[in-house]
Amino acid sequence: MKLSDTDFPREVRERMEQVLLPGDEILWAGTAMPGMKRNLLVTDGVSGGVFFLLFSAAWCPTTLFYVITALSSDDTPAEKMAALEFMLPFILVSCWFIRIWWKLLFGDKSRYYAVSSRFLLRHENNTLKAAPLHDDIIQNLNISKDGSGDIIIREAAEKEGLFCLAEADKVAGILQRAAENIPPVPMPPAHRDLTHADEQLPVSVRMRLRETMVPGDRLLWADRPLAWLPGWLRCLLSVFMAVFSLSVCYTLMQGTMPRTSTFILFGTGWGILLFIFYIRHPENRRFYFLTEQAMGEVYASHPAELYPLSELFLREITITVSGTIRLKTNRMTWERLNRIDTLLPLLLRRWDKKHSAKPTATA
């Protein structure tokens, strides 16, 4: 079976194909049964569940009430602007809550699931999550008398799995058999020397890598995460926030309100905080690397953080709607990767080598 034989949308198939390795076979593919109750109770990765829904339902009206009160007061325009700047973090949180509610009530409720010979693929709310198969991947089964139900998986966040399946018992059997018969991972690309791992790495980063690697170790893969925002946009936003904060402070200094000093301190602090975030964001100096012995991060001006490969277990791969990739292991998480086609075989082969030798019973 191939993904092209399914009725999945084209963008869903393309994201799933990014994770599949050569030789991977799709053993089962299907969708979740529709249901408004399920979409309201299972908040798609948002921790808290029903508590989150109740808290957000109280937060948004309260924030709206204070904003309307500030705009309808008899204060001067400068005072109203200062009040809105003070409420800006609360307004942004409210917008995030509204976005989650919009997805749950009116957004795309389709869930596309697939089981390949190496991965369990789940596409929910325009995000793909792929978990490598292993022996005890199934944590819990909630199956009704007609065979429908949910499959809760292990090595993932709470309440994650395959929900509202029409034939949950059948899918659980396919998943279990696939986890017991995982094919070997194809040979990864040839090892590359440190000087040829990534020509875009600065010299200072290469020196830091040489200091981190043990004698005889070789670099297999290195890359830097994608920036949250382009450089020109970070500069534009930082300049805008600085000018906005200074203008509010200057206007308030012309008045005689008792709380002027509080707004001046808050406005100046907010502008400086955003300036530091957009200009000095840590991702500008962060790099990821994988050697024959370790996997970790290195900073241009800070010591490297690494973990032995023998202690790492690949839990989940997430591909967002923007195409960036998050790689999660049991010890660390890499955010905003661009591609993993050469990295993934290396990690899976290390895991296979560690777990292929299963203990045997002795007399």
Side-chain angles (χ1 to χ4, degrees):
M1 183 180 181
K2 299 181 179 179
L3 288 174
S4 56
D5 300 332
T6 65
D7 56 353
F8 291 178
R10 181 177 57 86
E11 58 273 12
V12 176
R13 297 197 303 267
E14 290 177 353
R15 289 180 193 151
M16 289 184 175
E17 290 172 354
Q18 285 185 261
V19 179
L20 298 179
L21 297 178
D24 273 358
E25 180 185 0
I26 300 297
L27 306 177
W28 173 86
T31 60
M33 297 184 296
M36 178 64 71
K37 181 179 179 181
R38 170 63 63 183
N39 284 276
L40 288 176
L41 294 180
V42 181
T43 55
D44 299 315
V46 179
S47 61
V50 178
F51 173 78
F52 163 79
L53 299 179
L54 296 177
F55 180 78
S56 60
W59 178 285
C60 295
T62 304
T63 303
L64 181 62
F65 170 77
Y66 280 107
V67 171
I68 294 176
T69 302
L71 294 177
S72 59
S73 63
D74 297 332
D75 296 338
T76 62
E79 295 171 354
K80 293 181 179 180
M81 182 182 299
L84 289 179
E85 185 180 1
F86 180 82
M87 293 293 299
L88 183 58
F90 302 94
I91 296 174
L92 293 178
V93 174
S94 300
C95 293
W96 182 72
F97 284 152
I98 294 174
R99 175 175 172 268
I100 297 297
W101 271 95
W102 183 270
K103 280 187 175 182
L104 295 178
L105 296 176
F106 307 106
D108 181 18
K109 302 179 181 64
S110 300
R111 293 183 173 89
Y112 302 95
Y113 302 131
V115 178
S116 74
S117 52
R118 295 186 182 93
F119 295 98
L120 171 62
L121 308 172
R122 299 167 291 138
H123 193 282
E124 305 170 353
N125 286 334
N126 293 325
T127 300
L128 174 67
K129 296 182 179 180
L133 299 182
H134 53 90
D135 292 340
D136 56 345
I137 190 172
I138 298 179
Q139 178 176 343
N140 191 20
L141 295 176
N142 301 324
I143 301 178
S144 58
K145 295 182 179 180
D146 59 355
S148 62
D150 307 328
I151 302 176
I152 310 300
I153 66 172
R154 203 178 300 274
E155 302 292 350
E158 185 180 1
K159 295 184 179 179
E160 284 199 15
L162 287 72
F163 299 107
C164 291
L165 297 179
E167 299 178 341
D169 51 353
K170 176 182 176 181
V171 177
I174 296 176
L175 182 60
Q176 190 64 41
R177 288 191 297 271
E180 295 173 354
N181 301 279
I182 304 176
V185 181
M187 182 66 66
H191 296 169
R192 294 180 293 181
D193 189 62
L194 175 62
T195 56
H196 301 91
D198 194 339
E199 297 179 356
Q200 298 180 355
L201 294 181
V203 178
S204 59
V205 176
R206 295 189 182 187
M207 295 298 295
R208 185 70 64 182
L209 284 175
R210 289 192 180 99
E211 296 175 1
T212 304
M213 295 166 59
V214 298
D217 199 3
R218 290 190 294 179
L219 185 69
L220 305 180
W221 179 90
D223 200 358
R224 66 181 303 171
L226 299 175
W228 287 93
L229 294 174
W232 64 270
L233 185 56
R234 289 199 302 269
C235 294
L236 182 63
L237 288 175
S238 62
V239 171
F240 169 77
M241 290 305 304
V243 172
F244 178 75
S245 299
L246 290 177
S247 63
V248 171
C249 294
Y250 175 78
T251 305
L252 290 175
M253 290 175 64
Q254 307 304 314
T256 57
M257 343 177 359
R259 50 183 179 175
T260 298
S261 57
T262 303
F263 282 120
I264 290 176
L265 291 176
F266 181 81
T268 306
W270 183 251
I272 294 175
L273 180 63
L274 287 181
F275 179 82
I276 294 175
F277 176 78
Y278 289 119
I279 297 299
R280 301 288 298 174
H281 197 272
E283 284 190 353
N284 296 335
R285 300 172 287 111
R286 177 181 295 175
F287 298 87
Y288 301 143
F289 67 95
L290 174 69
T291 70
E292 290 182 337
Q293 315 244 351
M295 178 180 187
E297 305 176 17
V298 63
Y299 297 83
S301 58
H302 297 283
E305 179 183 6
L306 72 159
Y307 296 96
L309 286 181
S310 58
E311 299 180 3
L312 292 177
F313 170 71
L314 182 61
R315 285 186 173 179
E316 194 174 69
I317 303 167
T318 302
I319 302 180
T320 63
V321 63
S322 59
T324 59
I325 301 169
R326 180 172 69 244
L327 191 65
K328 181 179 180 181
T329 69
N330 59 322
R331 300 289 297 274
M332 61 191 304
T333 300
W334 284 359
E335 297 280 354
R336 304 189 67 79
L337 295 175
N338 187 20
R339 50 185 298 179
I340 56 172
D341 52 349
T342 58
L343 174 63
L344 190 57
L346 293 170
L347 294 179
L348 290 180
R349 283 183 65 86
R350 288 292 180 177
W351 186 84
D352 286 345
K353 183 178 179 180
K354 176 183 176 182
H355 294 271
S356 58
K358 298 182 180 180
T360 57
T362 58

